[in-house]
Amino acid sequence: MAKNKYYAYLIGKDKGITDNWPECQEIVAGKNGAKFKSFESQAAAAAWLKAGADYAVKSVAVEDGIYFDSGTGAGNGVEINVSDKTGKKLLHKVLPKGKLNEKGHHFVSLRDISRRETDAPTNNYGELLACKYALQLAIKENVKKVFGDSKLVVEYWSKGHIKYEVGEETVNLAQEVKILRKEFEKLGGKIILISGGANPADLGFHKG
């Protein structure tokens, strides 16, 4: 069964949320400057409208916290992002400016790990690295919730549950993240699994 979707729209000062596309389409059709977007929940739709209905923000989360993601959609390899609930970039707080691109993201290059030249970083490695930076920032700024859309990282690798077959570098990183997670949880923090569509740090890649 298909999930219900909610559609937020903004036309000048007129805004609202519908629970079906035909109704939203009828409202926005032919209206100059109309903005509209679909969401998985009514709360997420309302948060997007409250944030100004900005298309540059893929999703606005309902809960305060730090969000992380990795993706390969830009075509330049593995890219990672860490943001707040509105999509505001946060990696500059844990990485030097020289390691960030113009979007405030970080590309995971071979220089980040000690792999052979023929072994490119994987998207899952990127998710784990993004989780590491999110945890570092959460501990530093006393934030109690970290969110990610990778089940593999949230429920397994960040707990140290990882097979050595994935490679020494990934296993070593998982051990780093495991230590950070324990420290974070000892301080009352919690890592929460969310869907890619509800992740304001979303980079558009959710396989694996």
Side-chain angles (χ1 to χ4, degrees):
M1 180 181 287
K3 291 182 180 179
N4 289 334
K5 284 196 172 184
Y6 294 86
Y7 299 83
Y9 64 86
L10 175 66
I11 309 169
K13 293 184 178 180
D14 183 27
K15 60 184 177 180
I17 300 170
T18 73
D19 62 2
N20 64 87
W21 169 238
E23 183 180 351
C24 181
Q25 186 178 34
E26 184 177 346
I27 293 170
V28 302
K31 305 290 177 60
N32 289 330
K35 293 182 177 182
F36 51 93
K37 188 172 174 63
S38 66
F39 295 89
E40 295 179 359
S41 70
Q42 187 171 1
W48 183 71
L49 287 175
K50 186 176 180 181
D54 185 356
Y55 282 134
V57 177
K58 293 186 178 183
S59 176
V60 178
V62 178
E63 291 192 74
D64 288 324
I66 296 174
Y67 294 75
F68 69 89
D69 192 34
S70 174
T72 58
N76 297 312
V78 178
E79 183 177 358
I80 65 174
N81 184 31
V82 175
S83 79
D84 67 7
K85 72 174 184 178
T86 68
K88 182 180 178 182
K89 316 297 188 211
L90 299 175
L91 274 174
H92 67 278
K93 294 187 174 185
V94 288
L95 286 176
K97 187 176 180 181
K99 288 197 171 185
L100 304 177
N101 63 16
E102 68 282 355
K103 297 178 183 178
H105 303 160
H106 172 65
F107 280 112
V108 185
S109 69
L110 291 170
R111 288 175 297 179
D112 290 299
I113 55 180
S114 59
R115 289 175 178 269
R116 299 188 307 273
E117 286 295 319
T118 55
D119 293 334
T122 65
N123 187 69
N124 286 331
Y125 183 93
E127 291 277 4
L128 187 60
L129 186 61
C131 181
K132 171 187 172 180
Y133 293 139
L135 286 170
Q136 286 179 339
L137 186 56
I139 293 169
K140 177 182 177 182
E141 300 199 344
N142 196 31
V143 175
K144 299 303 182 185
K145 291 183 180 180
V146 167
F147 301 86
D149 57 47
S150 169
K151 184 175 183 178
L152 180 66
V153 169
V154 171
E155 296 187 356
Y156 298 98
W157 284 9
S158 65
K159 296 178 179 178
H161 304 318
I162 187 169
K163 295 180 180 180
Y164 283 91
E165 289 86 345
V166 300
E168 183 180 354
E169 296 82 8
T170 306
V171 171
N172 289 341
L173 179 59
Q175 295 308 312
E176 281 188 64
V177 175
K178 175 184 176 181
I179 292 169
L180 283 169
R181 179 169 183 160
K182 283 187 175 181
E183 181 181 354
F184 175 61
E185 290 176 338
K186 186 177 287 188
L187 295 169
K190 185 176 182 181
I191 299 184
I192 301 167
L193 179 66
I194 57 174
S195 69
N199 189 352
D202 175 51
L203 287 170
F205 188 94
H206 309 292
K207 293 180 181 179

